[in-house]
Amino acid sequence: MKRSKFDKKINSRHSKSTSSPNVKQMKKINLYLLLAVVIYGFSCKKILDIDAGKHIILEEGYYKTEEQLKAALRGTYSTLAEGTLYGGNMLGRMGFEADEGYEAYASDFQTVGDYAVYATDAKILAYYRMFYRGVNRANLLLESVDDPAIVISEKERDHIKGQALFLRGYFHFMLANKFGGVPLMLKATRSDAVSTADLQQPRASLKEVYLSIIADLETSSTLLKPMSEVNTGTQASQSAAWAMLARVCLYMAGQPLNEISRYAQAAEWAKKVKDANYHELNPSYEKVFVNYATDIMDPKESIFEVDFFGNGTGIYAGTGGSVGRLNGIQYPLDETNIGYSNGILRSTSYLYNLYQTGDTRRDWAIAPYSYTGTPRVKTNWTAQTTTFARFCGKFRRESEILLPKSSVYTPQNYPIMRYADVLLMYAEALNEMPGGDKILAREQINIVRRRAIPVGTVDREITETDYTGLKDAIVEERARELCFEGLRKNDLVRWGTFLSSMQYLSSLVPVGTTSYIVMARAYYANAKSRDVVWPIPTNEITVNRLLTQNVGW
C-alpha cells in the first residue's frame, strides 16, 4: 500500500539510499521546521531580527544543549522557506528569469516583478531584511556552538558549525549578488535600541563581502559531513559547500569584479564535487522535478534544496511553500486534484527556440499545454500560439501525491544547487581559465546533453573546442537546463550581457493587447542598465544612517 506524501515526510523522509547514520536526525529537521520559530520565541529571551521595530535581546550563553543547538540550526534553515524568499516571492515575482521567461501577474504590475524597480519596493525590502535575519540567526548559533560545556560529539559539533557557516555565507552571497557591497555582519546583534551602534554598519566593498563568503564556505567544507553521510539535499553537505564555492568564484570572475584568476578556483571546487565519486545525473530530467513534488530525496543530483512539506493543515500549517502554486501551470480554484496555480511565470520564444527537436527538456520546462474549458481539461497549445503564452512547466501540481491539495501551500521542494549546474560551471571555468582544457570542458556540457537528448538524435553532442564556440554553448545550455531556477539574471549580469539580452527579448514580444503580452512588453521594456543591482531599500537607509545608495538609484 502506497503511503501519502505526508506519511512519507513524517515516517521516512527517504532517499535512494537510507543507510546514512543521520537519516533519523534529518527526519527531525522536517518535523520541527515549523516549530523552530516557536522554539525561538519561547526559549530565546529576545532575539533581534534586523527589521526595525523588532529589537529583542538574546541572553548570553543561551544554547546549553545539543538539542538547543539543533533547534537554532532549524530556525536558521527556516529563513530560506519564508514567503519573502523561496517560500514565495523568489518563485517568479522578482525578475530573476530575465531572457528565459517573465512574470505575468497583475498584482505585481509596476513593481520589481516587471523591472519597474524603486527603492521603496516592499518585496526588495523584505528580501533584504529576511536574509539579514538569517545571517543573525547563524551568528547567534556560531557564538554558542563551540561552548565546551555543551555535551556533544565533536563530529556533530563540527557539522552544526559547518552548516551555520554555510548558511551565513549563502545569505551574504544572496545579498551581495543583488545589492553589491552590503554591510558585513559577522557577529550577532543583541540590542533592543533601534539606534544601537550594532545596526549602524557601513557597506563593505563587494570584494570584501565575497572574500568573507569564501572564508565561510571554505571553513564549512572542512567541517561538514560528506553527502554520502548527509544523504539529503535539504541539509548542507561538503558537496554543497564545494559547489557553492564554484558558483561564488564564477561570480567574482565575472562582472563587476572581473577577477579572472577565480575561474581556475571555480574549476577546482567543481572538480572536488566530481571527484567525490558520489554524484550523478538522474537518468530522467522530468523525474528530477517529480521527485521535488513527491518527496523523493535524490542527493546524487539535487545537492542543495529548500524543504517544504505538508498541505497547510494542523500543526503543519506553515511548513508548505508556493512551488507550483506561483510558478506552475495555471489552474483555477476548484475541487479537482490538479491543484490551484496562479501560473505567473511564462516562457519566451528565445528559450523555446533554444531547444532542438528531440530535447526532452523543452516540453517539461515549458508546458506544451494549458487547462481550458468547463470542466477544465488539458489542452495542447497549437502551433500558432505564441510561445510567450506558455507556462513554466517544471513545477507541476499534478505531480503532487499529497491529498487534499491546498490552494495556499504546496509540499514541493525547490532546487538551489543541482549536479547539472556543477557540470556546467566546471565547463565554463575550464573554458575561461588560461590554459583550460577545452576538450574536458566540452565533455561536461555533453554529459548534461546526453541525459536530455535521445541516442541517435542529430547534434546530440556539441563538437566545439574553441573558446567562442564553447562559451556560446554554455550560455545556451545553462538556459536549457536551469531555466526557471532563479539563476538566469545573475548569469547575464556576470557575463555583461544583461541589458543587451533584455533589449533583444523586447524586440521579440509579439504585438497584441492580451494581458500577458502587455506584461511581457513592460517586463523587457522597463529593464535599464542600473538593474544589474537593486537599490538599497529606503527603509534600511532610514534605520542605518551609514548606508549609501547604489549608483543610479
Side-chain angles (χ1 to χ4, degrees):
M1 178 177 175
K2 288 187 176 181
R3 290 172 295 167
S4 71
K5 179 169 183 178
F6 184 76
D7 291 334
K8 291 179 185 175
K9 288 282 187 183
I10 300 305
N11 298 316
S12 62
R13 181 141 183 93
H14 63 285
S15 68
K16 289 184 176 179
S17 168
T18 57
S19 60
S20 167
N22 290 315
V23 169
K24 187 174 181 179
Q25 292 176 2
M26 284 313 302
K27 293 174 193 172
K28 290 182 179 179
I29 286 180
N30 292 328
L31 283 170
Y32 293 128
L33 183 60
L34 172 63
L35 301 180
V37 176
V38 177
I39 291 170
Y40 266 67
F42 282 95
S43 57
C44 293
K45 293 231 176 167
K46 305 181 177 180
I47 291 179
L48 169 69
D49 289 326
I50 297 300
D51 327 50
K54 296 182 180 179
H55 308 291
I56 45 186
I57 300 171
L58 175 76
E59 292 187 339
E60 291 290 343
Y62 162 70
Y63 303 125
K64 295 298 186 183
T65 68
E66 179 177 354
E67 182 50 41
Q68 287 172 347
L69 289 178
K70 291 180 177 178
L73 181 61
R74 292 190 287 270
T76 308
Y77 272 107
S78 72
T79 303
L80 295 169
E82 292 285 348
T84 55
L85 300 180
Y86 292 106
N89 289 353
M90 291 175 67
L91 307 177
R93 302 185 65 195
M94 304 193 80
F96 296 166
E97 293 68 35
D99 60 358
E100 66 192 20
Y102 66 98
E103 182 187 8
Y105 188 38
S107 296
D108 282 348
F109 193 59
Q110 291 298 299
T111 70
V112 64
D114 64 354
Y115 284 91
V117 184
Y118 301 93
T120 54
D121 191 290
K123 291 194 292 298
I124 292 177
L125 174 62
Y127 178 104
Y128 185 97
R129 286 183 168 176
M130 189 55 67
F131 272 124
Y132 270 119
R133 181 181 297 180
V135 167
N136 205 54
R137 289 176 177 176
N139 284 333
L140 289 165
L141 176 53
L142 288 166
E143 291 173 11
S144 294
V145 70
D146 288 326
D147 184 348
I150 299 175
V151 179
I152 184 174
S153 72
E154 286 309 301
K155 184 175 182 179
E156 288 304 313
R157 189 193 303 271
D158 284 350
H159 189 53
I160 290 172
K161 184 175 181 179
Q163 290 174 82
L165 285 168
F166 175 90
L167 290 170
R168 185 175 73 176
Y170 184 68
F171 297 155
H172 272 128
F173 177 57
M174 293 303 286
L175 288 161
N177 67 46
K178 295 301 186 298
F179 297 100
V182 292
L184 195 55
M185 306 297 286
L186 300 179
K187 66 176 183 178
T189 304
R190 291 179 169 90
S191 174
D192 61 355
V194 70
S195 60
T196 177
D198 287 342
L199 293 181
Q200 303 305 304
Q201 298 290 337
R203 300 176 66 172
S205 70
L206 181 59
K207 182 171 181 176
E208 288 172 332
V209 178
Y210 272 125
L211 289 176
S212 178
I213 293 164
I214 286 179
D216 277 353
L217 294 176
E218 284 184 342
T219 303
S220 76
S221 73
T222 68
L223 299 171
L224 290 165
K225 297 175 185 177
M227 180 62 93
S228 58
E229 292 185 35
V230 173
N231 209 35
T232 176
T234 59
Q235 181 183 155
S237 64
Q238 198 170 52
S239 292
W242 290 336
M244 198 60 67
L245 279 161
R247 183 179 288 175
V248 173
C249 286
L250 280 184
Y251 280 47
M252 293 186 74
Q255 293 192 19
L257 290 179
N258 296 310
E259 294 190 0
I260 60 174
S261 63
R262 298 287 178 179
Y263 284 119
Q265 295 175 19
E268 290 176 7
W269 292 118
K271 185 175 185 297
K272 278 184 174 290
V273 181
K274 286 203 69 175
D275 288 350
N277 294 319
Y278 177 87
H279 297 282
E280 62 186 19
L281 298 180
N282 189 305
S284 168
Y285 183 75
E286 174 183 328
K287 182 63 173 172
V288 172
F289 301 95
V290 173
N291 284 346
Y292 290 131
T294 57
D295 190 35
I296 297 176
M297 290 288 105
D298 183 8
K300 292 188 175 182
E301 162 96 24
S302 187
I303 296 174
F304 190 58
E305 62 191 79
V306 185
D307 197 16
F308 299 103
F309 60 99
N311 58 359
T313 61
I315 191 172
Y316 307 102
T319 58
S322 293
V323 182
R325 184 179 70 82
L326 286 175
N327 54 351
I329 303 168
Q330 192 174 80
Y331 198 86
L333 189 63
D334 63 16
E335 300 302 319
T336 72
N337 288 331
I338 296 296
Y340 172 74
S341 176
N342 298 85
I344 69 171
L345 269 188
R346 301 192 189 228
S347 69
T348 64
S349 59
Y350 166 75
L351 177 64
Y352 185 88
N353 292 330
L354 283 180
Y355 296 99
Q356 67 186 78
T357 301
D359 192 326
T360 59
R361 293 172 296 188
R362 187 194 69 186
D363 287 349
W364 186 260
I366 304 172
Y369 59 84
S370 62
Y371 293 101
T372 63
T374 306
R376 297 280 173 163
V377 295
K378 188 181 294 185
T379 305
N380 289 334
W381 293 109
T382 66
Q384 291 72 38
T385 303
T386 173
T387 50
F388 279 83
R390 306 186 186 205
F391 299 104
C392 165
K394 276 189 170 179
F395 308 102
R396 305 187 184 194
R397 297 214 61 191
E398 64 192 60
S399 298
E400 297 170 17
I401 59 175
L402 174 61
L403 300 176
K405 293 183 180 178
S406 168
S407 62
V408 180
Y409 297 105
T410 79
Q412 296 194 43
N413 287 6
Y414 188 79
I416 291 179
M417 180 68 72
R418 294 196 288 115
Y419 186 52
D421 192 359
V422 175
L423 295 173
L424 293 176
M425 289 193 294
Y426 191 26
E428 182 178 353
L430 288 168
N431 187 50
E432 295 287 348
M433 62 185 280
D437 188 334
K438 300 292 193 286
I439 302 299
L440 186 58
R442 181 183 67 183
E443 175 61 15
Q444 309 316 303
I445 301 169
N446 283 333
I447 291 172
V448 175
R449 290 176 62 82
R450 289 181 198 126
R451 191 235 318 250
I453 304 174
V455 175
T457 304
V458 176
D459 298 328
R460 182 182 188 224
E461 299 184 4
I462 66 166
T463 58
E464 289 85 351
T465 57
D466 64 292
Y467 169 80
T468 301
L470 285 170
K471 182 171 184 177
D472 290 345
I474 290 163
V475 168
E476 294 181 353
E477 204 63 37
R478 287 188 66 81
R480 296 184 191 103
E481 178 69 27
L482 304 169
C483 58
F484 305 120
E485 294 178 40
L487 300 171
R488 189 61 171 181
K489 180 187 175 185
N490 284 340
D491 281 347
L492 297 180
V493 169
R494 65 187 179 85
W495 292 329
T497 60
F498 167 74
L499 185 59
S500 61
S501 296
M502 298 295 278
Q503 290 173 336
Y504 173 66
L505 263 294
S506 185
S507 72
L508 299 181
V509 179
V511 175
T513 57
T514 308
S515 60
Y516 65 82
I517 293 298
V518 172
M519 294 292 287
R521 187 174 297 114
Y523 185 95
Y524 293 107
N526 285 342
K528 302 174 180 65
S529 59
R530 68 180 187 176
D531 287 313
V532 295
V533 292
W534 284 337
I536 301 295
T538 300
N539 282 28
E540 291 304 303
I541 292 177
T542 301
V543 172
N544 179 359
R545 295 181 297 278
L546 297 182
L547 283 178
T548 57
Q549 188 54 274
N550 280 322
V551 176
W553 295 101

